[in-house]
Amino acid sequence: QLQLVESGGGLVQPGGSLTLSCAASGSSMNNYNIGWFRRAPGKEREGLSCNTINGLNAIYGNSVRGRFTMSRDNAKNTVFLQMNSLEPEDTAVYYCAADSAACSNSDLDYDHWGQGTQVTVSS
Protein backbone atom coordinates (compact mmCIF):
# COMPACT_ATOMS: atom_id res chain seq x y z
CA GLN A 1 0.00 0.00 0.00
CA LEU A 2 1.46 3.31 -1.09
CA GLN A 3 1.88 5.85 1.67
CA LEU A 4 2.76 9.51 1.15
CA VAL A 5 4.27 11.97 3.61
CA GLU A 6 4.62 15.69 2.87
CA SER A 7 7.21 17.91 4.51
CA GLY A 8 8.84 21.27 4.07
CA GLY A 9 5.98 23.57 4.98
CA GLY A 10 6.34 26.50 7.30
CA LEU A 11 6.13 30.25 7.67
CA VAL A 12 7.65 32.36 4.91
CA GLN A 13 7.54 36.06 4.07
CA PRO A 14 5.86 37.30 0.91
CA GLY A 15 8.23 36.96 -2.00
CA GLY A 16 10.03 34.06 -0.39
CA SER A 17 10.46 30.46 -1.49
CA LEU A 18 9.81 27.02 -0.10
CA THR A 19 10.35 23.51 -1.38
CA LEU A 20 7.85 20.89 -0.37
CA SER A 21 8.69 17.21 -0.46
CA CYS A 22 6.41 14.23 -0.89
CA ALA A 23 8.08 10.99 0.13
CA ALA A 24 6.54 7.65 -0.77
CA SER A 25 6.82 4.32 1.02
CA GLY A 26 5.24 0.93 0.64
CA SER A 27 5.49 1.02 -3.14
CA SER A 28 7.55 2.58 -5.86
CA MET A 29 6.52 6.05 -6.93
CA ASN A 30 7.59 5.07 -10.44
CA ASN A 31 4.17 3.49 -10.96
CA TYR A 32 2.15 6.58 -10.08
CA ASN A 33 1.21 9.95 -11.38
CA ILE A 34 1.74 12.43 -8.55
CA GLY A 35 -0.32 15.54 -8.03
CA TRP A 36 -0.04 18.52 -5.71
CA PHE A 37 -3.15 20.10 -4.23
CA ARG A 38 -3.84 22.74 -1.65
CA ARG A 39 -6.73 23.76 0.54
CA ALA A 40 -6.87 27.35 1.71
CA PRO A 41 -9.03 28.32 4.68
CA GLY A 42 -12.67 28.35 3.69
CA LYS A 43 -11.99 27.09 0.16
CA GLU A 44 -12.21 23.81 -1.68
CA ARG A 45 -9.14 21.75 -2.42
CA GLU A 46 -7.41 23.08 -5.53
CA GLY A 47 -5.35 21.07 -7.98
CA LEU A 48 -2.01 22.74 -8.69
CA SER A 49 0.11 20.44 -10.79
CA CYS A 50 0.82 16.85 -11.66
CA ASN A 51 3.85 14.86 -12.72
CA THR A 52 3.17 11.84 -14.89
CA ILE A 53 4.76 8.42 -14.68
CA ASN A 54 6.83 9.45 -17.69
CA GLY A 55 8.07 12.56 -15.92
CA LEU A 56 5.98 15.12 -17.76
CA ASN A 57 4.58 18.05 -15.84
CA ALA A 58 1.14 19.56 -16.08
CA ILE A 59 0.23 22.81 -14.38
CA TYR A 60 -3.42 23.28 -13.53
CA GLY A 61 -3.46 26.28 -11.29
CA ASN A 62 -3.25 29.53 -13.24
CA SER A 63 -2.43 31.33 -10.03
CA VAL A 64 0.77 29.32 -9.60
CA ARG A 65 1.88 29.03 -13.21
CA GLY A 66 5.39 30.36 -13.60
CA ARG A 67 5.98 30.33 -9.84
CA PHE A 68 5.60 26.65 -8.85
CA THR A 69 7.57 23.78 -10.36
CA MET A 70 7.33 20.05 -9.79
CA SER A 71 10.17 17.59 -10.01
CA ARG A 72 10.56 13.91 -9.29
CA ASP A 73 13.50 11.90 -7.95
CA ASN A 74 12.59 8.26 -8.49
CA ALA A 75 15.76 7.05 -6.82
CA LYS A 76 14.64 8.74 -3.61
CA ASN A 77 10.96 7.89 -4.18
CA THR A 78 10.23 11.58 -3.67
CA VAL A 79 8.47 14.35 -5.53
CA PHE A 80 9.15 18.03 -4.92
CA LEU A 81 7.19 21.24 -5.33
CA GLN A 82 9.41 24.29 -5.65
CA MET A 83 7.42 27.40 -4.77
CA ASN A 84 8.82 30.84 -5.58
CA SER A 85 7.50 34.38 -5.24
CA LEU A 86 5.08 33.27 -2.58
CA GLU A 87 2.07 35.44 -1.85
CA PRO A 88 -0.27 35.57 1.15
CA GLU A 89 -2.90 33.97 -1.09
CA ASP A 90 -0.71 30.86 -1.23
CA THR A 91 -1.38 30.19 2.45
CA ALA A 92 -2.92 26.73 2.62
CA VAL A 93 -2.42 23.12 3.57
CA TYR A 94 -0.56 21.45 0.73
CA TYR A 95 -1.15 17.81 -0.17
CA CYS A 96 0.42 15.36 -2.53
CA ALA A 97 -1.61 12.56 -4.04
CA ALA A 98 -0.98 9.56 -6.25
CA ASP A 99 -2.95 7.82 -8.94
CA SER A 100 -1.88 4.97 -11.16
CA ALA A 101 -4.17 5.86 -14.07
CA ALA A 102 -3.49 9.42 -15.16
CA CYS A 103 -2.84 12.97 -14.09
CA SER A 104 -5.88 15.00 -13.18
CA ASN A 105 -6.72 18.26 -11.48
CA SER A 106 -9.65 16.64 -9.69
CA ASP A 107 -9.02 15.31 -6.22
CA LEU A 108 -11.69 12.67 -6.84
CA ASP A 109 -9.35 10.89 -9.23
CA TYR A 110 -6.58 10.20 -6.72
CA ASP A 111 -6.44 7.11 -4.58
CA HIS A 112 -3.60 7.89 -2.19
CA TRP A 113 -3.10 11.03 -0.12
CA GLY A 114 -0.59 12.41 2.32
CA GLN A 115 -1.59 14.13 5.54
CA GLY A 116 -0.70 17.60 4.29
CA THR A 117 1.80 20.26 5.28
CA GLN A 118 0.92 23.82 6.28
CA VAL A 119 2.34 26.74 4.33
CA THR A 120 1.79 30.22 5.73
CA VAL A 121 2.87 33.29 3.81
CA SER A 122 2.88 36.32 6.02
CA SER A 123 5.05 39.23 7.02
Side-chain angles (χ1 to χ4, degrees):
Q1 179 77 357
L2 180 71
Q3 294 183 326
L4 303 173
V5 177
E6 303 93 337
S7 62
L11 174 64
V12 63
Q13 292 187 342
S17 298
L18 278 177
T19 300
L20 305 183
S21 300
C22 172
S25 61
S27 182
S28 174
M29 197 176 264
N30 294 1
N31 301 319
Y32 293 89
N33 306 283
I34 306 296
W36 280 101
F37 290 78
R38 69 183 180 187
R39 189 194 299 272
K43 295 187 178 181
E44 295 184 353
R45 191 151 49 187
E46 174 190 9
L48 300 177
S49 64
C50 183
N51 184 269
T52 71
I53 291 173
N54 296 322
L56 300 177
N57 278 339
I59 302 296
Y60 300 119
N62 289 329
S63 61
V64 304
R65 193 181 302 272
R67 299 189 298 123
F68 290 11
T69 304
M70 279 190 70
S71 61
R72 179 194 290 249
D73 187 335
N74 285 331
K76 296 182 178 179
N77 227 18
T78 301
V79 169
F80 304 95
L81 182 67
Q82 174 68 42
M83 307 187 296
N84 299 323
S85 302
L86 285 163
E87 305 166 351
E89 292 73 21
D90 296 317
T91 295
V93 179
Y94 284 73
Y95 302 88
C96 63
D99 184 72
S100 59
C103 271
S104 169
N105 66 340
S106 171
D107 58 359
L108 299 176
D109 293 331
Y110 289 82
D111 299 322
H112 307 277
W113 289 85
Q115 82 290 347
T117 185
Q118 175 71 47
V119 172
T120 302
V121 184
S122 175
S123 55

